[in-house]
């Protein structure tokens, strides 16, 4: 009943805002529609961002450390690394904390993606012998936590760089980045899957992109299934549409951070 | 200057609210004064609580699992256990995530205290063969994170039990609990130390109590120092005063949770 | 000089075999040309395969275990899982053995890809409560070890299933699978990168496919770079071409295994 | 029968030594009576101490290392750290050895207490860039192992410092320290609980003190129970009485060590 | 000077006891002479043995557990396993505790030898579905700790079995066992090496034997050296002589344990 | 039937080669006969050796690292260390990979033996501040993997040293080494046990030797059994015979490596 009430109020909101008729997905979205994205920078600490993509909420933090990993000594280059974690209470069934033990393959794969993506937007020669740490902690998980982490992580990074600008010989950020998820559920290509959709997906993927259709990372995996070239192309198209929507929110946040420092 | 501005606005607030003259501590508090406590229940997940004690912020979650640890099989008793963690961005200097490695002694000591304290308020025979998990994740650390975790953890627990009430043959909560920290800095006994005070404390302690002066847990440790029986007694007195203040906020939250379920 | 000699003999071979003029790559390949693939099934143990893609050599083994992981009990479904490892001597500079420590993110990511890919070709309901283990141990590493592992792993799997056919109520393999790598080096899209090319790639990816252009997994990551939609499309096209070449070798091996068991 | 025999011989001893009538506890002790304490310094190695508190026996060793932990480099200060361990055969039911795995929270809590307590008696500026290691290995466990470890650890430390005196610019020991346990069993406050009493305690605590009523560490935890301020005060009083008794033995040992080195 | 004093008093003792002239080794022993062996059973716990071989002292404990390892379920056979550990203070330079980390190869090799040796003296079918744990903790290390552990471990085992005799359908001990070390130092074959001799040995070995020259385990390793068949034979002869000496002490202890239980 | 076929073809081979009548062992060998040994150097990487002893196959690699372990700094001496591992598919029942966890005692014992043995053939002062790594990876296991690893490891080492000869001030290899296994099965002393024999052995051992009967390492362990001095002497004799056979193959390989570099 709680679920029913939530959906009703989404309908009312839709009508009030003069939105087009609701789509066929369980929460009333159209197949090519993302969930509402909202971002709060300076959440409780200076470079801490709370990003919400529907009911998915991630706290992203950026920190600067005055050293680089040992294998990077003397290179003149900085480094950027990311960690991803779920708060145990972020899911309906409690998720076990990954500590005192090996970190799961899923977690490692996600944090490697976040780090690799964000290294594409920073000139590592421009930050000196420093390491930037991006920490993404999911406090509520409803699908799309990895892509929300990349988008939120970028803004935490931007806030940190802006605040530390004077330390760097040049402005080290190349351009903004954001990410969305795509997938195929019941044979239908969808944009920005929530947890229930994700659990039933035959194909599951993500795109990390710069503005204007340039790619940074892209992946598309079948789960006990396969996909044709036509479906592949459709998912790429959906991803590009979703990226455009998310960029609008990201750009608004960048302006806000800039105005705080001018 | 940011710090200076923050303190000035605290002064203004004090005046506007008709508060007594400010005390000798760096943030204007008197020695027997706690920082403002605010609590948000149902933060982003049903039994997720955000507790703020000044700039210390902790997310506390409670979850119910339909099994008990192996050593508890067949006992007819439930179990309650707690985990405590710092988000890496919670501190000025990034805190390393405790994973892929042993959990530090400090963390273990704190989470053992939280679990032991909260087991004193639950009839473990009343919850059947279930485990209650309390997860305390610090998102901003400014001293007193262990005591904030106990108070916030109690409210997450209360919310979970209230929502699951019908599952239990009897109401399993004995009575509310809360906690405060005390210490001696520069020879002066203080209530509710912030991070800077805590770093310079000669003596550092906490009290976990029920209402009306009954104790659940109490600890007082000198750090390259010692304390007399007079100082000991003064710190006990401060703790009792602090507990009374925190209880006012806790009781308000209990009423709110109750009203949500009536 | 050893290197020079090796390249000369490749030229001679090319001429002798009436091959088209050599291409612009360091080893004489054209940009859309794969390295020679050869496969030896029943290497030293029954379902042990040695796959060579140029100087990359991987031993792939398949084993059947009469139980499933705990989370799969009572599901009626089997499971397939893969492990990937480098022999320390497989690289010019010795690679440290991953033991007594956490497994690296790279290794985990690769073995998750191998397992996910191969689960797409097996009806898990058709193998009963069994686990199939695919072990891929690289004995010489010259780029493309993950894709060689998928192709070789498929043949080890096929050999195991063929030998155990009578145990299963139905033939559980859906169809053959294979994989190739692609990438962009110095702005040029290339098929099947060797180690030197891979180390200098701006974009690095792989495709795992069924026959006839149907996809199972696809990934494309920029490394401190980005790629346009045109480059993206070109890499997809190269991958499809490479897959067709590798399939010829795979089909030949399948016929050989079949003939051993008829 | 063995137990019965043991108690009888305690009665005989009591009579022979002209001791007051035996008390209400299972072993004939009064509620405010400690068990016999005996200490053997130079047990089998130079700074190895065997301390017995009733049937609790702990081997305490002190060693000096010519370096400090990395975070202490260049501080001009030394460090003191402690480790606590149970020999597997120290308990009726074999205790599992803590190795190849994480150290339990209980062990960590105890060894942190021992280290913190003993750091209060050493001028860390007085020992130069050295680390003192205190190792406490329980060979027979009958309650009060943590407090016996502190007392025995102090004497091992004293013996080490005395033997190394010439290395230090000044005498680095501030003053002697010792520890006792207290608790409430069946509503009755008791001093120095044995294992059976400890297992049934509603409240369980310890005091670490200097001579003349000055405190170093104090803790009091309810176990599924609580305690009033009156009980709290009574336990503090018992602790002070016990500390006075233990000090008599400690002082005797100090004199003996001193005489060995004069 | 302390060392010199110790050796002088050994000389005096030798003379007083009418012993033959002292030998060429640093402590006055002849090449085929073992150090004094003494054994204290029921050290501080019922099946705890303190064995001394010169300045090497090991606490050996035996415990009985009412279950077998999982791989032994339903076999009708019991199991015996051993653990070996050094107290950190057992050596002149503190030995790091093996915990929170992997157990060293040396430790594993030694405890596998102890377990394997003692399994040869127990009928595992005769102890039912039980596990016997032998724990050997070195409290002072002066060479020969592994062989002292086997001899002491046997007596702890014997004491445990004697006390539990009624639980078993038959007497499960086959016959007594003991062990000695041998080695070559400066080209000279020696029996029962102390730490200084062991550190300079070219060849280092041990024998574990039943009475009357029957072998259970034998090992002989060169360290950056080699040995001839003649040296090999000489070391076997020395080992047999040493075993005969140790057996005298072992047999005395067995009689004492037997008399305690008759 | 496959097994039967294999044995028949061995018989045919035996006849064709004019071999003496077949012996009493399951594969037709006499009690003092080793299995065929073949060695392939430069397997797929320069200093990679594939050694086959019957159906036991081990890949041995040697690598040179330009540093020594920390405890060896400034000693002027190099170091040699070995690692041993089983590919999971090397056994009929899949062997679990030893990673992300502690390395088993068996593995540690074997790799310590390989390292210790090979250190006896290298002048560690002659290789400067370098570490030689010997990696032995079993790809098919049929008994005798540890001794095959020593023999194969020596040839990988020889190949590496020969190729790096110019780096060293002197030729650092002292002399060739090889190893064989021996044991007692059903009361009969045997040379070079295969897996089935090894599983049923009462006594199990190995010898590592130089040419002409000089020993480097020797071990002989009873498994729930014991052995007499006569059996001991017989096993030593068998080992010496086996070593002579293996040396013939080793010497041939050395000549081949030498000729590649002259």
């Amino acid at each position: 009943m709680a679920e029913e009430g939530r959906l009703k109020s989404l309908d009312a909101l839709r009508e009030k805002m003069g939105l087009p008729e609701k789509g066929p997905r369980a929460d009333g979205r159209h197949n090519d529609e993302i969930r509402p994205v909202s971002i709060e920078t300076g959440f409780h600490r200076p470079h801490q961002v709370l990003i919400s993509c529907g009911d998915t909420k991630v706290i992203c933090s950026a920190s600067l450390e005055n050293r680089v990993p040992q294998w990077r000594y003397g290179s003149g280059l900085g480094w950027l690394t990311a960690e991803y974690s779920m708060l145990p209470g972020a899911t309906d069934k409690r998720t076990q904390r990954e500590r005192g033990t090996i970190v799961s393959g899923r977690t490692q794969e996600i944090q490697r993606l976040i780090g690799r993506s964000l290294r594409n937007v920073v000139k590592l020669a421009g930050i000196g012998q420093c390491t930037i740490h991006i920490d993404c902690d999911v406090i509520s998980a409803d699908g799309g936590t990895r892509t929300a982490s990349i988008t939120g992580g970028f803004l935490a990074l931007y806030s940190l760089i802006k605040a530390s600008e004077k330390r760097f010989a040049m402005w080290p950020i190349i351009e903004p980045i954001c990410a969305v998820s795509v997938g195929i559920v019941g044979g239908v290509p969808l944009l920005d899957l929530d947890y229930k959709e994700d659990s039933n997906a035959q194909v599951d993927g993500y795109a990390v992109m710069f503005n204007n259709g340039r790619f940074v990372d892209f992946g598309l995996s079948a789960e006990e299934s396969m996909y044709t070239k036509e479906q592949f192309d459709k998912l790429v198209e959906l991803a590009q549409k979703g990226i455009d929507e998310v960029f609008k929110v990201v750009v608004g946040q960048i302006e806000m951070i800039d105005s705080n420092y001018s």
Side-chain angles (χ1 to χ4, degrees), chain A:
Chain A
M1 212 159 86
E3 182 63 11
E4 195 182 309
R6 202 173 65 89
L7 293 182
K8 256 193 188 155
S9 74
L10 278 173
D11 287 353
L13 180 73
R14 191 175 291 276
E15 199 171 346
K16 185 176 143 198
M17 296 181 68
L19 289 173
E21 217 175 325
K22 73 176 180 176
R25 293 162 79 174
D27 61 357
R29 279 192 288 154
H30 292 270
N31 297 343
D32 63 351
E33 196 179 341
I34 61 169
R35 291 173 291 177
V37 175
S38 76
I39 297 172
E40 192 179 336
T41 55
F43 183 48
H44 284 293
R45 304 276 316 160
H47 311 301
Q48 201 179 51
V49 165
L50 174 65
I51 181 166
S52 306
C53 300
D55 284 345
T56 286
K57 322 266 171 180
V58 187
I59 295 180
C60 304
S61 287
S63 330
L64 196 63
E65 188 191 10
N66 280 321
R67 54 191 294 284
V68 285
Q70 202 168 352
W71 54 268
R72 200 92 177 170
Y73 282 2
S75 66
L77 299 169
W79 187 240
L80 181 151
T81 182
E83 286 184 10
Y84 167 95
S85 179
M86 285 265 217
L87 261 59
T91 43
D92 283 350
K93 187 174 176 313
R94 182 177 181 273
T95 302
Q96 207 181 323
R97 210 175 278 273
E98 290 184 329
R99 74 179 183 194
T101 175
I102 69 167
V103 176
S104 79
R106 178 186 174 274
T107 293
Q108 290 220 40
E109 201 171 296
I110 292 176
Q111 64 193 18
R112 276 165 60 86
L113 172 62
I114 301 170
R116 200 170 60 220
S117 295
L118 293 180
R119 278 193 295 276
N120 284 296
V121 308
V122 177
K123 286 184 197 119
L124 294 174
I127 59 169
Q129 290 280 69
C130 292
T131 299
I132 296 169
H133 294 272
I134 305 295
D135 287 288
C136 303
D137 288 87
V138 179
I139 62 174
S140 175
D142 188 30
T145 59
R146 88 182 64 191
T147 49
S149 295
I150 293 169
T151 307
F154 169 72
L155 284 163
L157 166 66
Y158 189 89
S159 165
L160 173 74
I161 295 289
K162 197 74 199 173
S164 324
E165 196 172 350
K166 284 177 192 154
R167 298 182 44 155
F168 305 126
M170 59 174 177
W171 174 246
I173 290 189
I174 297 170
E175 52 182 307
I177 207 172
C178 72
V180 292
S181 75
V182 291
I184 300 180
V185 183
V188 183
L190 297 180
L191 176 60
D192 188 21
L193 285 67
D194 66 21
Y195 176 71
K196 217 175 279 179
E197 291 168 339
D198 195 50
S199 310
N200 294 301
Q202 291 106 47
V203 181
D204 180 29
Y206 64 86
V208 186
M209 298 181 71
F210 286 152
N211 234 328
N212 302 325
R214 287 157 310 145
F215 287 78
V216 163
D217 217 304
F218 182 83
L220 215 45
S221 304
E223 299 279 347
E224 308 186 18
S225 181
M226 58 99 223
Y227 50 99
T228 63
K229 185 60 168 51
E230 288 69 39
Q231 288 174 316
F232 183 105
D233 290 341
K234 179 64 191 171
L235 291 169
V236 172
E237 192 192 311
L238 282 177
Q240 287 173 315
K241 182 169 186 305
I243 290 284
D244 289 348
E245 297 292 322
V246 178
F247 255 122
K248 288 176 196 160
V249 185
V250 169
V251 167
Q253 287 295 318
I254 289 176
E255 282 165 7
M256 213 163 72
I257 296 169
D258 283 349
S259 70
N260 284 345
Y261 285 95
S262 62

